[in-house]
mmCIF file of all heavy atoms in Angstrom:
data_model
loop_
_atom_site.group_PDB
_atom_site.id
_atom_site.type_symbol
_atom_site.label_atom_id
_atom_site.label_comp_id
_atom_site.label_asym_id
_atom_site.label_seq_id
_atom_site.Cartn_x
_atom_site.Cartn_y
_atom_site.Cartn_z
ATOM 1 N N HIS R 1 -7.353 -7.094 -3.037
ATOM 2 C CA HIS R 1 -6.719 -8.410 -2.914
ATOM 3 C C HIS R 1 -7.570 -9.376 -2.095
ATOM 4 O O HIS R 1 -7.656 -10.569 -2.433
ATOM 5 C CB HIS R 1 -5.342 -8.251 -2.269
ATOM 6 C CG HIS R 1 -4.296 -7.693 -3.190
ATOM 7 N ND1 HIS R 1 -3.618 -8.462 -4.105
ATOM 8 C CD2 HIS R 1 -3.806 -6.436 -3.335
ATOM 9 C CE1 HIS R 1 -2.755 -7.713 -4.779
ATOM 10 N NE2 HIS R 1 -2.846 -6.477 -4.322
ATOM 11 N N LEU R 2 -8.197 -8.885 -1.025
ATOM 12 C CA LEU R 2 -9.014 -9.760 -0.193
ATOM 13 C C LEU R 2 -10.237 -10.263 -0.953
ATOM 14 O O LEU R 2 -10.568 -11.458 -0.895
ATOM 15 C CB LEU R 2 -9.453 -9.024 1.073
ATOM 16 C CG LEU R 2 -10.348 -9.831 2.016
ATOM 17 C CD1 LEU R 2 -9.614 -11.050 2.551
ATOM 18 C CD2 LEU R 2 -10.861 -8.966 3.157
ATOM 19 N N ALA R 3 -10.926 -9.375 -1.666
ATOM 20 C CA ALA R 3 -12.098 -9.794 -2.445
ATOM 21 C C ALA R 3 -11.719 -10.846 -3.476
ATOM 22 O O ALA R 3 -12.461 -11.812 -3.709
ATOM 23 C CB ALA R 3 -12.737 -8.580 -3.120
ATOM 24 N N GLU R 4 -10.556 -10.672 -4.109
ATOM 25 C CA GLU R 4 -10.076 -11.653 -5.084
ATOM 26 C C GLU R 4 -9.892 -13.026 -4.430
ATOM 27 O O GLU R 4 -10.308 -14.042 -4.987
ATOM 28 C CB GLU R 4 -8.742 -11.179 -5.670
ATOM 29 C CG GLU R 4 -8.852 -10.000 -6.610
ATOM 30 C CD GLU R 4 -8.996 -10.463 -8.053
ATOM 31 O OE1 GLU R 4 -7.990 -10.640 -8.736
ATOM 32 O OE2 GLU R 4 -10.149 -10.656 -8.481
ATOM 33 N N ARG R 5 -9.268 -13.053 -3.260
ATOM 34 C CA ARG R 5 -9.025 -14.330 -2.580
ATOM 35 C C ARG R 5 -10.322 -14.969 -2.114
ATOM 36 O O ARG R 5 -10.499 -16.197 -2.232
ATOM 37 C CB ARG R 5 -8.080 -14.117 -1.395
ATOM 38 C CG ARG R 5 -6.618 -13.895 -1.762
ATOM 39 C CD ARG R 5 -5.922 -15.192 -2.205
ATOM 40 N NE ARG R 5 -6.005 -16.233 -1.177
ATOM 41 C CZ ARG R 5 -5.166 -16.344 -0.150
ATOM 42 N NH1 ARG R 5 -4.164 -15.462 -0.003
ATOM 43 N NH2 ARG R 5 -5.296 -17.331 0.723
ATOM 44 N N LEU R 6 -11.236 -14.184 -1.578
ATOM 45 C CA LEU R 6 -12.509 -14.737 -1.124
ATOM 46 C C LEU R 6 -13.295 -15.340 -2.289
ATOM 47 O O LEU R 6 -13.816 -16.458 -2.193
ATOM 48 C CB LEU R 6 -13.338 -13.645 -0.440
ATOM 49 C CG LEU R 6 -12.881 -13.211 0.955
ATOM 50 C CD1 LEU R 6 -13.580 -11.909 1.349
ATOM 51 C CD2 LEU R 6 -13.187 -14.296 1.991
ATOM 52 N N ALA R 7 -13.386 -14.590 -3.391
ATOM 53 C CA ALA R 7 -14.093 -15.100 -4.561
ATOM 54 C C ALA R 7 -13.387 -16.326 -5.120
ATOM 55 O O ALA R 7 -14.038 -17.292 -5.550
ATOM 56 C CB ALA R 7 -14.200 -14.007 -5.623
ATOM 57 N N GLY R 8 -12.054 -16.311 -5.087
ATOM 58 C CA GLY R 8 -11.289 -17.424 -5.621
ATOM 59 C C GLY R 8 -11.478 -18.719 -4.858
ATOM 60 O O GLY R 8 -11.330 -19.812 -5.420
ATOM 61 N N ARG R 9 -11.825 -18.625 -3.578
ATOM 62 C CA ARG R 9 -12.029 -19.850 -2.799
ATOM 63 C C ARG R 9 -13.502 -20.273 -2.772
ATOM 64 O O ARG R 9 -13.859 -21.240 -2.115
ATOM 65 C CB ARG R 9 -11.493 -19.672 -1.385
ATOM 66 C CG ARG R 9 -12.331 -18.815 -0.474
ATOM 67 C CD ARG R 9 -11.751 -18.740 0.927
ATOM 68 N NE ARG R 9 -12.711 -18.167 1.868
ATOM 69 C CZ ARG R 9 -12.499 -18.059 3.176
ATOM 70 N NH1 ARG R 9 -11.354 -18.473 3.684
ATOM 71 N NH2 ARG R 9 -13.411 -17.541 3.972
ATOM 72 N N GLY R 10 -14.359 -19.513 -3.470
ATOM 73 C CA GLY R 10 -15.747 -19.930 -3.622
ATOM 74 C C GLY R 10 -16.760 -19.196 -2.781
ATOM 75 O O GLY R 10 -17.952 -19.522 -2.810
ATOM 76 N N ASP R 11 -16.347 -18.182 -2.037
ATOM 77 C CA ASP R 11 -17.310 -17.392 -1.276
ATOM 78 C C ASP R 11 -18.075 -16.451 -2.203
ATOM 79 O O ASP R 11 -17.567 -16.043 -3.252
ATOM 80 C CB ASP R 11 -16.593 -16.549 -0.209
ATOM 81 C CG ASP R 11 -16.054 -17.398 0.930
ATOM 82 O OD1 ASP R 11 -16.740 -18.340 1.337
ATOM 83 O OD2 ASP R 11 -14.937 -17.126 1.392
ATOM 84 N N GLU R 12 -19.295 -16.105 -1.806
ATOM 85 C CA GLU R 12 -20.044 -15.066 -2.503
ATOM 86 C C GLU R 12 -19.609 -13.729 -1.918
ATOM 87 O O GLU R 12 -19.662 -13.539 -0.701
ATOM 88 C CB GLU R 12 -21.543 -15.264 -2.324
ATOM 89 C CG GLU R 12 -22.377 -14.261 -3.103
ATOM 90 C CD GLU R 12 -23.869 -14.479 -2.932
ATOM 91 O OE1 GLU R 12 -24.272 -15.487 -2.312
ATOM 92 O OE2 GLU R 12 -24.646 -13.621 -3.412
ATOM 93 N N VAL R 13 -19.179 -12.805 -2.770
ATOM 94 C CA VAL R 13 -18.575 -11.561 -2.306
ATOM 95 C C VAL R 13 -19.306 -10.369 -2.903
ATOM 96 O O VAL R 13 -19.578 -10.335 -4.105
ATOM 97 C CB VAL R 13 -17.084 -11.486 -2.700
ATOM 98 C CG1 VAL R 13 -16.453 -10.189 -2.185
ATOM 99 C CG2 VAL R 13 -16.317 -12.693 -2.170
ATOM 100 N N VAL R 14 -19.612 -9.401 -2.034
ATOM 101 C CA VAL R 14 -20.068 -8.091 -2.488
ATOM 102 C C VAL R 14 -18.981 -7.093 -2.090
ATOM 103 O O VAL R 14 -18.656 -6.966 -0.911
ATOM 104 C CB VAL R 14 -21.415 -7.689 -1.873
ATOM 105 C CG1 VAL R 14 -21.763 -6.239 -2.250
ATOM 106 C CG2 VAL R 14 -22.515 -8.631 -2.338
ATOM 107 N N GLY R 15 -18.402 -6.440 -3.087
ATOM 108 C CA GLY R 15 -17.410 -5.414 -2.831
ATOM 109 C C GLY R 15 -18.055 -4.038 -2.870
ATOM 110 O O GLY R 15 -18.929 -3.794 -3.697
ATOM 111 N N LEU R 16 -17.645 -3.159 -1.979
ATOM 112 C CA LEU R 16 -18.229 -1.823 -1.888
ATOM 113 C C LEU R 16 -17.112 -0.795 -1.826
ATOM 114 O O LEU R 16 -16.107 -1.002 -1.146
ATOM 115 C CB LEU R 16 -19.125 -1.736 -0.650
ATOM 116 C CG LEU R 16 -19.824 -0.421 -0.315
ATOM 117 C CD1 LEU R 16 -21.095 -0.678 0.488
ATOM 118 C CD2 LEU R 16 -18.914 0.541 0.481
ATOM 119 N N ASP R 17 -17.300 0.327 -2.526
ATOM 120 C CA ASP R 17 -16.325 1.413 -2.470
ATOM 121 C C ASP R 17 -17.005 2.674 -2.983
ATOM 122 O O ASP R 17 -17.885 2.585 -3.848
ATOM 123 C CB ASP R 17 -15.103 1.085 -3.335
ATOM 124 C CG ASP R 17 -13.851 1.841 -2.888
ATOM 125 O OD1 ASP R 17 -13.806 3.072 -3.070
ATOM 126 O OD2 ASP R 17 -12.914 1.187 -2.382
ATOM 127 N N ASN R 18 -16.583 3.844 -2.472
ATOM 128 C CA ASN R 18 -17.156 5.091 -3.001
ATOM 129 C C ASN R 18 -16.287 5.717 -4.089
ATOM 130 O O ASN R 18 -16.653 6.749 -4.666
ATOM 131 C CB ASN R 18 -17.411 6.098 -1.873
ATOM 132 C CG ASN R 18 -16.132 6.652 -1.256
ATOM 133 O OD1 ASN R 18 -15.026 6.214 -1.578
ATOM 134 N ND2 ASN R 18 -16.287 7.616 -0.363
ATOM 135 N N LEU R 19 -15.124 5.100 -4.359
ATOM 136 C CA LEU R 19 -14.232 5.553 -5.433
ATOM 137 C C LEU R 19 -13.874 7.033 -5.294
ATOM 138 O O LEU R 19 -13.881 7.781 -6.273
ATOM 139 C CB LEU R 19 -14.857 5.278 -6.811
ATOM 140 C CG LEU R 19 -15.112 3.807 -7.149
ATOM 141 C CD1 LEU R 19 -15.829 3.685 -8.482
ATOM 142 C CD2 LEU R 19 -13.801 3.017 -7.177
ATOM 143 N N ASN R 20 -13.542 7.453 -4.070
ATOM 144 C CA ASN R 20 -13.185 8.864 -3.876
ATOM 145 C C ASN R 20 -11.826 9.167 -4.503
ATOM 146 O O ASN R 20 -11.079 8.259 -4.904
ATOM 147 C CB ASN R 20 -13.229 9.251 -2.396
ATOM 148 C CG ASN R 20 -12.138 8.594 -1.574
ATOM 149 O OD1 ASN R 20 -11.029 8.377 -2.035
ATOM 150 N ND2 ASN R 20 -12.448 8.263 -0.329
ATOM 151 N N ASP R 21 -11.496 10.440 -4.582
ATOM 152 C CA ASP R 21 -10.287 10.856 -5.286
ATOM 153 C C ASP R 21 -9.145 11.204 -4.344
ATOM 154 O O ASP R 21 -8.289 12.026 -4.671
ATOM 155 C CB ASP R 21 -10.592 12.043 -6.207
ATOM 156 C CG ASP R 21 -11.093 13.271 -5.442
ATOM 157 O OD1 ASP R 21 -11.250 13.185 -4.197
ATOM 158 O OD2 ASP R 21 -11.334 14.310 -6.083
ATOM 159 N N TYR R 22 -9.077 10.563 -3.176
ATOM 160 C CA TYR R 22 -7.936 10.772 -2.277
ATOM 161 C C TYR R 22 -6.621 10.485 -3.014
ATOM 162 O O TYR R 22 -5.625 11.165 -2.814
ATOM 163 C CB TYR R 22 -8.080 9.893 -1.039
ATOM 164 C CG TYR R 22 -6.840 9.823 -0.184
ATOM 165 C CD1 TYR R 22 -6.343 10.957 0.454
ATOM 166 C CD2 TYR R 22 -6.152 8.621 -0.017
ATOM 167 C CE1 TYR R 22 -5.202 10.900 1.237
ATOM 168 C CE2 TYR R 22 -5.012 8.549 0.765
ATOM 169 C CZ TYR R 22 -4.536 9.693 1.383
ATOM 170 O OH TYR R 22 -3.403 9.625 2.151
ATOM 171 N N TYR R 23 -6.634 9.446 -3.838
ATOM 172 C CA TYR R 23 -5.542 9.246 -4.788
ATOM 173 C C TYR R 23 -6.128 8.836 -6.129
ATOM 174 O O TYR R 23 -7.349 8.681 -6.258
ATOM 175 C CB TYR R 23 -4.487 8.248 -4.283
ATOM 176 C CG TYR R 23 -4.972 6.841 -3.991
ATOM 177 C CD1 TYR R 23 -5.205 5.925 -5.022
ATOM 178 C CD2 TYR R 23 -5.162 6.400 -2.682
ATOM 179 C CE1 TYR R 23 -5.617 4.629 -4.760
ATOM 180 C CE2 TYR R 23 -5.567 5.112 -2.410
ATOM 181 C CZ TYR R 23 -5.792 4.227 -3.459
ATOM 182 O OH TYR R 23 -6.207 2.947 -3.181
ATOM 183 N N ASP R 24 -5.290 8.687 -7.130
ATOM 184 C CA ASP R 24 -5.678 8.489 -8.521
ATOM 185 C C ASP R 24 -6.782 7.437 -8.684
ATOM 186 O O ASP R 24 -6.570 6.248 -8.417
ATOM 187 C CB ASP R 24 -4.443 8.074 -9.331
ATOM 188 C CG ASP R 24 -4.691 8.092 -10.829
ATOM 189 O OD1 ASP R 24 -5.837 8.307 -11.256
ATOM 190 O OD2 ASP R 24 -3.703 7.882 -11.582
ATOM 191 N N VAL R 25 -7.956 7.882 -9.111
ATOM 192 C CA VAL R 25 -9.092 6.979 -9.287
ATOM 193 C C VAL R 25 -8.800 5.947 -10.372
ATOM 194 O O VAL R 25 -9.341 4.839 -10.352
ATOM 195 C CB VAL R 25 -10.370 7.779 -9.608
ATOM 196 C CG1 VAL R 25 -11.540 6.847 -9.907
ATOM 197 C CG2 VAL R 25 -10.727 8.698 -8.440
ATOM 198 N N ARG R 26 -7.939 6.289 -11.315
ATOM 199 C CA ARG R 26 -7.610 5.331 -12.378
ATOM 200 C C ARG R 26 -6.996 4.057 -11.819
ATOM 201 O O ARG R 26 -7.213 2.963 -12.363
ATOM 202 C CB ARG R 26 -6.666 5.976 -13.390
ATOM 203 C CG ARG R 26 -7.296 7.074 -14.236
ATOM 204 C CD ARG R 26 -6.266 7.761 -15.106
ATOM 205 N NE ARG R 26 -5.235 8.412 -14.280
ATOM 206 C CZ ARG R 26 -4.178 9.028 -14.790
ATOM 207 N NH1 ARG R 26 -3.993 9.070 -16.100
ATOM 208 N NH2 ARG R 26 -3.302 9.608 -13.983
ATOM 209 N N LEU R 27 -6.238 4.181 -10.731
ATOM 210 C CA LEU R 27 -5.669 2.992 -10.099
ATOM 211 C C LEU R 27 -6.775 2.145 -9.470
ATOM 212 O O LEU R 27 -6.775 0.913 -9.582
ATOM 213 C CB LEU R 27 -4.640 3.398 -9.051
ATOM 214 C CG LEU R 27 -3.970 2.266 -8.266
ATOM 215 C CD1 LEU R 27 -3.305 1.264 -9.190
ATOM 216 C CD2 LEU R 27 -2.954 2.835 -7.274
ATOM 217 N N LYS R 28 -7.724 2.797 -8.823
ATOM 218 C CA LYS R 28 -8.844 2.063 -8.229
ATOM 219 C C LYS R 28 -9.656 1.355 -9.308
ATOM 220 O O LYS R 28 -10.047 0.188 -9.157
ATOM 221 C CB LYS R 28 -9.728 3.017 -7.427
ATOM 222 C CG LYS R 28 -9.009 3.681 -6.258
ATOM 223 C CD LYS R 28 -9.919 4.622 -5.491
ATOM 224 C CE LYS R 28 -9.183 5.282 -4.334
ATOM 225 N NZ LYS R 28 -10.043 6.157 -3.521
ATOM 226 N N LEU R 29 -9.923 2.052 -10.403
ATOM 227 C CA LEU R 29 -10.666 1.436 -11.502
ATOM 228 C C LEU R 29 -9.858 0.317 -12.146
ATOM 229 O O LEU R 29 -10.424 -0.695 -12.592
ATOM 230 C CB LEU R 29 -11.032 2.495 -12.540
ATOM 231 C CG LEU R 29 -12.015 3.574 -12.074
ATOM 232 C CD1 LEU R 29 -12.211 4.628 -13.159
ATOM 233 C CD2 LEU R 29 -13.362 2.955 -11.691
ATOM 234 N N GLY R 30 -8.539 0.466 -12.176
ATOM 235 C CA GLY R 30 -7.689 -0.593 -12.698
ATOM 236 C C GLY R 30 -7.795 -1.861 -11.868
ATOM 237 O O GLY R 30 -7.806 -2.980 -12.404
ATOM 238 N N ARG R 31 -7.869 -1.704 -10.553
ATOM 239 C CA ARG R 31 -8.055 -2.873 -9.682
ATOM 240 C C ARG R 31 -9.376 -3.561 -9.980
ATOM 241 O O ARG R 31 -9.457 -4.790 -10.062
ATOM 242 C CB ARG R 31 -7.992 -2.440 -8.216
ATOM 243 C CG ARG R 31 -6.642 -1.916 -7.739
ATOM 244 C CD ARG R 31 -6.741 -1.402 -6.318
ATOM 245 N NE ARG R 31 -5.493 -0.830 -5.817
ATOM 246 C CZ ARG R 31 -5.417 0.287 -5.127
ATOM 247 N NH1 ARG R 31 -6.525 0.980 -4.850
ATOM 248 N NH2 ARG R 31 -4.251 0.745 -4.702
ATOM 249 N N LEU R 32 -10.440 -2.757 -10.120
ATOM 250 C CA LEU R 32 -11.757 -3.339 -10.394
ATOM 251 C C LEU R 32 -11.773 -4.044 -11.748
ATOM 252 O O LEU R 32 -12.370 -5.121 -11.889
ATOM 253 C CB LEU R 32 -12.833 -2.258 -10.341
ATOM 254 C CG LEU R 32 -13.045 -1.599 -8.966
ATOM 255 C CD1 LEU R 32 -14.126 -0.524 -9.055
ATOM 256 C CD2 LEU R 32 -13.427 -2.638 -7.911
#
């Protein structure tokens, strides 16, 4: 949500994540 808001207001954003499987990775990929 934060990356979406930053990009939406015109900031240059680099998002980083290791996509670990602590919970369903499909949800993380769905967000991306």
Side-chain angles (χ1 to χ4, degrees):
H1 285 279
L2 179 63
E4 288 268 270
R5 285 285 303 276
L6 286 166
R9 74 178 193 176
D11 289 321
E12 184 179 353
V13 181
V14 173
L16 178 154
D17 204 290
N18 69 354
L19 298 175
N20 69 35
D21 61 357
Y22 168 64
Y23 60 78
D24 191 354
V25 175
R26 291 174 298 176
L27 178 56
K28 298 180 180 183
L29 294 175
R31 294 175 183 137
L32 295 179

